[in-house]
Amino acid sequence: MKIERSLVAENIPVLRLSGELDLNSVPDVRRAIRALIDDGLVNFIITLSQLDFIDSSGLGVLVGGLARVREKQGEIKIACSNKRILR
């Protein structure tokens, strides 16, 4: 799993995930999401287009992150063009 953090227009943070989002990589993704929230960034994008695989624990960390930002009136947008991951 590789996690890249960058900014797009309007200083919106983006987490780009590549590789496999599974039980082994969930702690790293959770830390990356929490780091954004701890920095006061509760509106951000997570891109999944470079993922090769995602399991239920990977979906769970995304839903858990969404719950955390919504507590702070934030929002996570998911971007993905990989049809296999979308399915």
Side-chain angles (χ1 to χ4, degrees):
M1 163 64 57
K2 183 176 179 183
I3 304 170
E4 296 178 30
R5 182 174 163 176
S6 61
L7 292 174
V8 293
E10 303 293 324
N11 294 323
I12 298 171
V14 177
L15 290 180
R16 287 183 174 82
L17 309 182
S18 58
E20 297 185 354
L21 180 48
D22 57 16
L23 187 61
N24 293 324
S25 57
V26 160
D28 295 332
V29 175
R30 184 177 293 117
R31 276 190 293 276
I33 291 171
R34 285 184 180 168
L36 287 171
I37 296 168
D38 290 346
D39 289 345
L41 304 167
V42 294
N43 295 295
F44 52 91
I45 299 167
I46 299 177
T47 63
L48 308 178
S49 295
Q50 298 301 314
L51 282 184
D52 299 319
F53 176 79
I54 185 169
D55 68 7
S56 60
S57 63
L59 291 172
V61 77
L62 297 176
V63 171
L66 179 60
R68 291 178 72 90
V69 299
R70 284 191 173 166
E71 289 173 357
K72 300 177 182 295
Q73 289 69 51
E75 194 67 43
I76 296 175
K77 299 295 183 185
I78 302 291
C80 183
S81 60
N82 184 328
K83 290 182 182 183
R84 197 170 108 209
I85 298 300
L86 289 171
R87 186 171 24 112

